Amino acid sequence: MALLIPNISRLSSITTCRQLLWPRINCYTVEPKAGLKQSIEDQLNLPARPKKPITPFFRFSSLHRQELKEKHPGLPITEISKKLAKIWEMADPKMKQELNEQYKKEMDEFSQAKINYSLSLTQEQKEALKQVKGEVAEEKKKRRLKKKSKELGKPKRPGSSFILFAKSRKDQRGDTSVYDWQLKLSREWEQMSDLQKQPYVDQAKRAFINYSKDIEAWEANMIKEGHLDVIRTEVLAPKAKKPIKK
C-alpha cells in the first residue's frame, strides 16, 4: 500500500517544533504533585464512589508483608510476593474461611453501596462520568498499543524538513532556554527561502520514502504473526475506491 508523502516543507510553526523536536516537553501541561492524583470523581466534583473490598489473599498479605520485609531486607518485591503466596497456601483453613466470609459480607455491602451511589447521581453526572471514563480507557489503550508496537520493533516515523533543520542547529543552542530556542528556530525557518530549505526537504522526503517501505514490511509481518491491534486501520480496512462516473 502506497503512503502519501506530506508537504513537510510547510511544517514551520512553534507548535510543530515543540511537539516534534521536543516531544517530551509540554509547556502548557501542569503535572499533579506526587500523592495528589485525583480520581475521575474528584475531577468532576462528584461524591467519592464506594471502594471495592480487598480479597482475602490481599488482606492476608497486608498483615504479613512488613514482617517478611524485616526478616528478608533487600529482597525484591516479586520474591516477597512469592513467599506470601506460599505462606497463604499453607495457612490455617479456618482462618481462610473466616477471611472469605468477611470478604463475601463486604462484597454484598459494596454491591448495595454501588446501587445507592448510582441512584444519587443525576443523569448529567452519569453522562459526564461515562464520557471521562471512556476517554481514560482510550488513552490507556493508546499507551498500551504504543508500548507494544515499540517492543515489536515498529519503524520510527522520520522527522520533517523543519525538524532536520532544527537538529542541525542543536549544537548552537548554548544556554538559551528551550522556549526561546524553539522560537528562534521557528522564526529563522520562516525567513529562509525555498532554496535554503530544499536540502532539508529532500532529506526528509528520502527518509519518508524509506520509512514507508519499512512500515509496510513491518505491518505485513505483524499481520502474519497475528498482531492486528498494532496495524493502522486504513491498512486492515482500506477505503473502497469511488466508482468512476461515465
Side-chain angles (χ1 to χ4, degrees), residues 57-84:
F57 171 68
F58 277 100
R59 188 183 298 276
F60 173 84
S61 298
S62 65
L63 297 174
H64 295 81
R65 183 174 287 106
Q66 187 59 37
E67 179 184 345
L68 282 176
K69 284 183 177 180
E70 294 174 357
K71 189 176 180 180
H72 304 280
L75 193 67
I77 187 65
T78 52
E79 295 301 318
I80 293 289
S81 298
K82 290 178 181 179
K83 287 184 177 294
L84 285 170

Side-chain angles (χ1 to χ4, degrees), residues 135-169:
E135 292 171 354
V136 170
E138 186 63 26
E139 283 301 314
K140 286 183 178 179
K141 180 181 178 182
K142 288 180 180 179
R143 289 196 297 269
R144 178 181 61 80
L145 291 179
K146 184 176 181 180
K147 180 181 178 182
K148 180 179 178 180
S149 297
K150 185 177 181 180
E151 292 173 347
L152 291 171
K154 182 179 180 180
K156 187 176 180 181
R157 189 183 183 93
S160 67
S161 53
F162 171 71
I163 298 305
L164 294 174
F165 159 74
K167 286 183 176 180
S168 71
R169 301 296 180 90

Side-chain angles (χ1 to χ4, degrees), residues 70-111:
E70 294 174 357
K71 189 176 180 180
H72 304 280
L75 193 67
I77 187 65
T78 52
E79 295 301 318
I80 293 289
S81 298
K82 290 178 181 179
K83 287 184 177 294
L84 285 170
K86 289 182 179 179
I87 296 174
W88 172 254
E89 288 178 5
M90 297 182 292
D92 181 15
K94 184 177 180 181
M95 181 271 294
K96 285 185 176 181
Q97 183 180 354
E98 291 176 354
L99 288 177
N100 283 324
E101 290 176 353
Q102 181 182 357
Y103 177 69
K104 184 179 182 304
K105 179 182 178 182
E106 291 175 348
M107 279 300 296
D108 290 340
E109 295 172 350
F110 170 70
S111 297

Side-chain angles (χ1 to χ4, degrees), residues 5-6 21 40 44 75 119 122 155 157-158 165 203 205 217 234:
I5 300 176
L21 184 57
I40 295 176
L44 296 174
L75 193 67
L119 292 174
T122 65
R157 189 183 183 93
F165 159 74
Q203 185 181 349
K205 284 183 178 180
E234 60 267 29

